[in-house]
Amino acid sequence: MGRLLVFAGILTAISVCGFSQAKDKAAGGAEEAVMRIERELLAALLKGDASANERYLADTYVYTGPDGSVENKAQAIANLKSGDLKLQSATLDGAKVHIYGDTAIVTYNSLDKGTFKGKDISGKTRWLDVFVKQKGSWRVVATQGTMLPK
């Protein structure tokens, strides 16, 4: 009986370790996928190209800008297509991805140079992006930016 309990304990420990490693690999793959999307969105934004936003923003997307303005997906795409949002440069500094099942939270800083509707929006901003896996694909459901003091 004692040997059986020891054997059962070892099997349980091996199973838990295997499950944890599989979960870690899945989380690592999700982190890489989300960061790839972040980089793709930034590259498109710098080109004034709305196609990445059309592809990766959820239909229910909500953007809260550093100035407190709120936009939906259609408005965010329209601002890019119209040229109202123009970025000459932007960075994706210190990005951290946290995976919670089918939800990912990304935080990072950016140093931006650009304009929105002719107004200078250059500066350092702290961003938070929320991704949800929908139908097997990661989609951004919310973005919030906070302008950092100069």
Side-chain angles (χ1 to χ4, degrees), residues 4-143:
L4 184 59
L5 286 176
V6 169
F7 182 69
I10 291 170
L11 281 178
T12 301
I14 290 170
S15 298
V16 168
C17 288
F19 177 73
S20 292
Q21 288 175 350
K23 194 173 177 183
D24 289 346
K25 279 186 179 180
E31 288 175 13
E32 290 173 20
V34 167
M35 280 310 301
R36 180 186 50 74
I37 293 169
E38 287 282 10
R39 288 188 292 275
E40 191 175 332
L41 286 165
L42 179 59
L45 189 63
L46 289 168
K47 293 177 190 172
D49 177 4
S51 64
N53 279 5
E54 290 169 334
R55 192 168 45 257
Y56 294 119
L57 300 186
D59 291 339
T60 58
Y61 176 74
V62 176
Y63 170 84
T64 304
D67 63 352
S69 62
V70 178
E71 298 176 352
N72 62 28
K73 178 181 179 175
Q75 292 165 318
I77 290 170
N79 287 330
L80 272 175
K81 286 184 173 181
S82 68
D84 284 344
L85 177 61
K86 294 179 185 173
L87 283 180
Q88 288 80 37
S89 63
T91 60
L92 187 64
D93 299 329
K96 292 189 183 354
V97 180
H98 300 278
I99 305 293
Y100 305 96
D102 286 342
T103 302
I105 306 294
V106 183
T107 56
Y108 60 96
N109 291 330
S110 66
L111 183 57
D112 307 314
K113 181 176 181 187
T115 59
F116 180 65
K117 296 184 178 179
K119 181 182 174 196
D120 184 26
I121 57 168
S122 302
K124 192 169 188 174
T125 307
R126 182 73 177 156
W127 294 98
L128 178 123
D129 290 335
V130 180
F131 287 74
V132 174
K133 198 167 199 180
Q134 297 175 331
K135 298 178 186 173
S137 299
W138 289 103
R139 299 282 181 260
V140 185
V141 296
T143 297

